[in-house]
Amino acid sequence: MKLKLKIAAAAFVMSLVACSQPITKDYKDASLSIDERVEALLPKLSLEEKVAQMRIFHANIGVEHDENGNLKLSKKVIEKLKLGIAGIKNPGEHIDAIAAAKLNNELQRYIIENNRWGIPALFVTESYNGVDAAGCTKFGRPIASAASFNPELVQRQWDVVGREARLRGMHMCHSPEADLVRDPRFGRMSEAFGEDTYLTTQMVTNAIKGVQGNYEGLGNGTHIGAVAKHFAGYGQVLGGSNFAAIEISPRTLIDEIYPPFEAAIKEAKTLGIMASHGDINGVASHGNPELLTGVLRDDWGFEGYVVSDSNDIARLFYFMNVAESPEAAAQMGLEAGIDIDLYAEDSYAYLPEMVKKNPELEKLIDRSVRRVLRTKFILGLFDNPYINLDEVKKGVRAVSSLELAKESDLESIILLKNENDVLPLAKNKSIKVALLGPLLKENTQELFKSVTGESIEYLAEKGFQLTDEKVGAPKLLDRDGAALDKLENMAKKADLSILFLGGDEFTSKEAFFNNALGDRATIDPVGAQDELLERIKALGKPVIVVLKHRRTLSINTIADQADAILDTWDLSEFGDQSTARIIFGEVSPSGKLPVTVPRSIGQLPFHYSMKEINYKKGYLFLEDGPIYPFGYGLSYTKFRYSDIKISNTEITPNSELEVSVLVTNEGDIKAKEVVQMYIKDKIGSVTRPDKELKGFKKIELAPGESRTVKFKITHKMLEFTGLKMEKILEPGDYIVKIGTSSQEYLETTFKLKN
């Protein structure tokens, strides 16, 4: 009995001891909060394992399938994965979706099984025409999407991007771009959503909501996380030259450049931000704590991770010349708030040795690793790291996704000119049409026939290329007189010609290091394109131009000579079919310009929302104004604007106004119209924009139908950065303009009172 009592007493004491000990939380316990799981895992990691969670390498260093379809890793990759890794860029990008999903499952399994704590990796892609990988739905580029002026359509498009990427086994996307693009010399212009702050904000937030599945799609494994880029001011590089300096006023930075990024964080909940290649007024963005910590985190409350652009932390030393050594560059990036080093072997790789000399750096390393681990938990990778291969075939390139690509095209095509209503053409009229020019594709004639059937006879000939199409630094080809003669003779045999002109992926592209060029010193159409148009026009037959391009072009000759112009930017894989449907009247064009089209490169900078004083004088020997203004785009019908009304002539910081306009379709076909609202501050304590887009709605009207379109005006629309560099509401008079473009509108006035 005494022995039993002693045993019982001992057990009781042990239970008291056990209760007094802290309960160790297991990071694998899915019932814990994400923050609890992060804090349970972080202390377990060695310093070297922590730093591994701050690095991404590219799959092209040795991640592939062997001849039997099994995972094959290079010795370099195997060595990198011993400690785990933050992520890998583009694994499986050149193989179809099912093969990529299989590869990425095998790769993820290898990573989990070969680091001590089973930490999964982030697989990262990009999206400029849909998922940048083989076998996915190819959509139009972002600037083409912007031309739709349809944020809901953009969200649906990026929802497909998010789903298709996740089914390939991807988890993050270094897209979309929240940059403003106002300099068409810049080769990356088509990657962003245009020149306007409000339009870009609407497009970026909806793209992020789409790709992330309204955030809910992250943890349930259906979507991927977005990384909005490039923070901040990247599109404003001097001379339109990639990697050049950025000189931008603090007021413009705050009022025009920041808002799309702020909305990406606060409204769309982007998981990531990528820092900008450049500097801002001399302060390199990758070493700027005021920008990456002060603005992003302290002011806006961003909780995700910040990733460097390619090798850019190391470039603080060997390119930007703002760090004394590679180690100093690594410390600058770390202190500024860069959490993940993209690609570099000469930057964060030095951190373990640096901590030995400066142990305080480990606190900053822990800060970054928390953000990376948090992202992996949000995406559910610890609990469900693999893709169900049975779902891939059903979900990638689904019929609904392909139809969405076509729908997006149709809403993005812009009718710039339609002299004597030459368009639309009749499908049932027996005519011969010449499809000519350097932007003609091999399947263009086939796609046109899919729309018109056999009633239209086609002649098709590309004629000549614009460049030698070398990837790094393409060169313009010499004028080919024989090719021009051939195209002219073909046009003589036709009743009308459709010329495919503009530019392509070789005349506008990203400029990399190692002398890979992509920016241009002129913005005129290159080669003999204008000559081709003039020769065909001289035949006295109708000439329709299909303008394809990735940067704004000063299309003076095209605007003057063509009978009709369809601006298509860079559309989906079905782009030529969609163009044919517009040309032959199945759908009325409804796209609007997301940029201003200048007459000359000498007018730059030249966006519609410049300060009013910029418009005081023009230039000698040049017609004033743009060729086509921001927001411009014609239709096959005529929309009449009338009866503009405002609910009150005064607004206060605690009230709102409603402004409305009556829009009537006076034609005989159903069509869509983008109704645009601009606001102008008549007098400001600082010089103010000439006007600013503050709202738009895309509506569809039947023939003869009228609709009252309403907009709210809030005090937030009227805020700007005042004399003391603080956001203010300044009492005074405002003009609200509602119309079909930034230059054609009705207007009324109101007053802001305190």
Side-chain angles (χ1 to χ4, degrees):
M1 176 67 72
K2 288 181 179 180
L3 180 61
K4 288 182 179 179
L5 288 172
K6 286 182 179 180
I7 292 173
F12 178 70
V13 171
M14 289 299 293
S15 68
L16 289 177
V17 171
C19 290
S20 67
Q21 297 296 319
I23 299 173
T24 302
K25 294 180 178 178
D26 184 358
Y27 67 93
K28 295 180 181 179
D29 183 355
S31 68
L32 298 177
S33 71
I34 286 175
D35 286 342
E36 286 175 323
R37 297 180 78 177
V38 170
E39 294 307 319
L41 175 55
L42 181 63
K44 297 178 182 294
L45 305 185
S46 69
L47 175 60
E48 289 76 15
E49 287 169 333
K50 290 176 183 177
V51 172
Q53 293 300 316
M54 299 169 65
R55 301 182 66 194
I56 289 177
F57 66 83
H58 200 290
N60 62 12
I61 68 171
V63 177
E64 58 186 340
H65 268 159
D66 63 17
E67 60 275 6
N68 298 316
N70 298 314
L71 180 66
K72 179 182 177 182
L73 302 178
S74 68
K75 291 181 180 179
K76 188 173 184 179
V77 169
I78 291 172
E79 184 64 28
K80 281 181 171 294
L81 295 181
K82 286 181 179 178
L83 298 171
I85 197 74
I88 302 174
K89 185 77 178 289
N90 290 343
E93 64 177 323
H94 299 303
I95 56 180
D96 67 57
I98 294 177
K102 180 176 181 294
L103 170 76
N104 289 331
N105 274 350
E106 294 168 357
L107 178 60
Q108 190 72 279
R109 182 171 287 106
Y110 179 91
I111 293 169
I112 290 172
E113 293 177 353
N114 286 275
N115 73 84
R116 285 199 302 162
W117 309 108
I119 303 175
L122 299 169
F123 298 156
V124 186
T125 185
E126 298 195 34
S127 178
Y128 297 120
N129 290 84
V131 183
D132 283 353
C136 290
T137 305
K138 183 180 179 183
F139 291 98
R141 287 176 86 77
I143 203 159
S145 297
S148 74
F149 275 71
N150 190 337
E152 182 272 337
L153 179 62
V154 168
Q155 182 167 341
R156 285 193 282 130
Q157 177 180 315
W158 283 75
D159 176 83
V160 171
V161 171
R163 291 178 185 276
E164 291 195 343
R166 193 67 180 250
L167 286 170
R168 293 181 68 91
M170 311 307 286
H171 311 112
M172 297 294 294
C173 181
H174 285 173
S175 302
E177 289 193 16
D179 302 310
L180 303 187
V181 282
R182 292 173 167 176
D183 191 334
R185 293 172 295 184
F186 187 44
R188 302 186 69 177
M189 185 175 194
S190 65
E191 298 175 15
F193 292 103
E195 72 179 45
D196 180 65
T197 298
Y198 182 80
L199 177 62
T200 297
T201 299
Q202 300 308 306
M203 294 298 164
V204 163
T205 53
N206 279 275
I208 293 171
K209 289 176 182 178
V211 82
Q212 295 191 161
N214 274 323
Y215 200 83
E216 296 174 359
L218 301 174
N220 64 25
T222 59
H223 292 75
I224 64 173
V227 178
K229 63 184 186 183
H230 307 79
F231 192 63
Y234 181 54
Q236 316 308 306
V237 285
L238 294 179
S241 177
N242 206 14
F243 301 108
I246 296 167
E247 300 290 342
I248 187 168
S249 79
R251 185 170 285 105
T252 300
L253 187 68
I254 295 168
D255 288 350
E256 300 177 36
I257 304 300
Y258 280 173
F261 289 97
E262 184 176 5
I265 292 166
K266 292 182 175 180
E267 295 179 32
K269 301 180 181 178
T270 185
L271 284 193
I273 292 287
M274 178 181 281
S276 165
H277 272 314
D279 65 348
I280 296 178
N281 302 327
V283 181
S285 292
H286 278 69
N288 190 341
E290 182 180 343
L291 182 71
L292 301 181
T293 298
V295 174
L296 273 185
R297 300 191 185 279
D298 298 341
D299 294 346
W300 297 347
F302 179 56
E303 296 182 340
Y305 70 72
V306 176
V307 61
S308 77
D309 207 337
S310 173
N311 297 291
D312 274 356
I313 301 174
R315 287 176 183 155
L316 294 172
F317 166 61
Y318 67 78
F319 177 64
M320 304 291 283
N321 297 323
V322 295
E324 295 286 347
S325 66
E327 291 82 359
Q331 184 165 338
M332 283 182 68
L334 184 64
E335 291 176 345
I338 302 283
D339 303 306
I340 298 179
D341 184 6
L342 186 64
Y343 303 154
E345 300 292 342
D346 50 2
S347 182
Y348 279 7
Y350 298 141
L351 287 177
E353 287 298 316
M354 291 169 60
V355 170
K356 293 178 182 178
K357 298 177 182 179
N358 184 0
E360 288 298 307
L361 291 178
E362 190 163 5
K363 294 178 181 178
L364 297 177
I365 290 171
D366 286 351
R367 180 181 72 174
S368 290
V369 176
R370 281 188 177 93
R371 295 165 181 166
V372 176
L373 294 177
R374 175 180 176 272
T375 303
K376 294 181 178 184
F377 279 115
I378 288 171
L379 287 161
L381 298 185
F382 282 85
D383 307 313
N384 186 21
Y386 307 115
I387 298 303
N388 182 343
L389 298 181
D390 294 334
E391 298 296 318
V392 179
K393 189 173 182 179
K394 293 185 292 184
V396 177
R397 290 186 66 78
V399 171
S400 59
S401 300
L402 303 181
E403 290 303 312
L404 178 60
K406 298 174 185 178
E407 180 186 352
S408 298
D409 286 347
L410 292 173
E411 292 215 15
S412 300
I413 294 172
I414 311 161
L415 180 61
L416 294 180
K417 184 179 181 181
N418 196 19
E419 195 83 9
N420 299 317
D421 293 329
V422 65
L423 293 179
L425 303 179
K427 280 196 290 187
N428 56 2
K429 187 176 180 181
S430 181
I431 57 174
K432 185 181 292 186
V433 176
L435 307 174
L436 309 171
L439 275 299
L440 189 75
K441 294 182 179 178
E442 290 184 3
N443 66 342
T444 299
Q445 181 175 338
E446 175 188 344
L447 291 173
F448 267 66
K449 279 189 172 181
S450 72
V451 173
T452 61
E454 298 301 320
S455 61
I456 306 295
E457 181 182 351
Y458 293 102
L459 306 171
E461 178 63 44
K462 182 182 180 78
F464 58 91
Q465 294 181 174
L466 300 177
T467 70
D468 61 8
E469 299 189 350
K470 289 185 178 178
V471 174
K475 294 182 180 179
L476 292 176
L477 297 178
D478 293 335
R479 176 184 178 277
D480 187 339
L484 290 167
D485 291 341
K486 182 177 182 180
L487 293 172
E488 183 179 352
N489 288 330
M490 292 184 73
K492 288 178 180 177
K493 300 174 185 177
D495 296 301
L496 62 89
S497 295
I498 301 176
L499 303 187
F500 293 79
L501 306 177
D504 58 18
E505 67 269 30
F506 298 100
T507 63
S508 181
K509 61 189 185 69
E510 183 176 359
F512 296 104
F513 267 61
N514 303 320
N515 202 37
L517 304 179
D519 308 313
R520 280 184 56 198
T522 65
I523 57 172
D524 296 330
V526 299
Q529 296 186 85
D530 284 349
E531 180 185 353
L532 173 63
L533 171 57
E534 290 171 333
R535 289 173 66 161
I536 304 301
K537 176 69 174 179
L539 300 176
K541 302 175 182 180
V543 180
I544 299 161
V545 169
V546 174
L547 189 66
K548 298 183 176 187
H549 55 125
R550 290 186 172 186
R551 60 157 41 91
T552 306
L553 297 171
S554 48
I555 51 170
N556 293 283
T557 299
I558 293 173
D560 180 59
Q561 296 285 312
D563 294 285
I565 305 169
L566 285 173
D567 187 346
T568 67
W569 284 96
D570 189 312
L571 298 176
S572 79
E573 57 190 287
F574 306 104
D576 283 348
Q577 182 185 64
S578 301
T579 301
R581 292 182 65 189
I582 295 282
I583 287 174
F584 287 94
E586 287 189 14
V587 180
S588 177
S590 62
K592 299 284 187 175
L593 281 172
V595 295
T596 302
V597 181
R599 301 179 186 278
S600 167
I601 195 170
Q603 290 176 297
L604 300 180
F606 198 55
H607 48 278
Y608 87 93
S609 56
M610 294 189 302
K611 294 179 175 63
E612 183 179 1
I613 57 176
N614 289 35
Y615 295 102
K616 177 66 174 176
K617 293 181 181 295
Y619 294 90
L620 281 171
F621 321 125
L622 183 72
E623 185 178 344
D624 282 351
I627 302 176
Y628 298 108
F630 175 87
Y632 177 84
L634 303 174
S635 172
Y636 289 159
T637 191
K638 174 67 176 176
F639 293 103
R640 177 168 58 87
Y641 285 70
S642 63
D643 200 22
I644 188 169
K645 294 179 180 177
I646 195 163
S647 60
N648 200 317
T649 57
E650 294 181 354
I651 187 173
T652 71
N654 299 313
S655 67
E656 295 179 348
L657 297 181
E658 183 178 85
V659 61
S660 65
V661 70
L662 186 66
V663 183
T664 302
N665 180 354
E666 295 188 322
D668 56 6
I669 63 169
K670 182 169 68 174
K672 293 181 179 180
E673 166 71 342
V674 179
V675 184
Q676 303 161 46
M677 180 183 74
Y678 299 84
I679 292 179
K680 177 184 179 66
D681 185 357
K682 291 185 70 174
I683 299 176
S685 55
V686 298
T687 53
R688 302 284 286 123
D690 181 58
K691 63 180 78 72
E692 297 174 287
L693 182 69
K694 293 297 184 179
F696 59 84
K697 292 183 179 179
K698 196 163 196 174
I699 62 171
E700 185 172 44
L701 296 178
E705 182 183 0
S706 296
R707 185 177 305 170
T708 299
V709 179
K710 300 177 181 180
F711 296 97
K712 281 185 178 180
I713 299 176
T714 69
H715 71 271
K716 289 291 292 183
M717 295 179 179
L718 310 180
E719 287 183 349
F720 65 93
T721 302
L723 288 169
K724 296 181 179 180
M725 295 307 299
E726 296 176 349
K727 285 282 187 180
I728 62 170
L729 275 172
E730 193 167 75
D733 296 317
Y734 292 80
I735 305 173
V736 57
K737 306 162 183 271
I738 303 180
T740 188
S741 79
S742 62
Q743 286 192 355
E744 188 177 348
Y745 44 75
L746 302 176
E747 63 182 48
T748 187
T749 61
F750 66 93
K751 185 183 292 287
L752 171 63
K753 287 193 170 185
N754 283 334

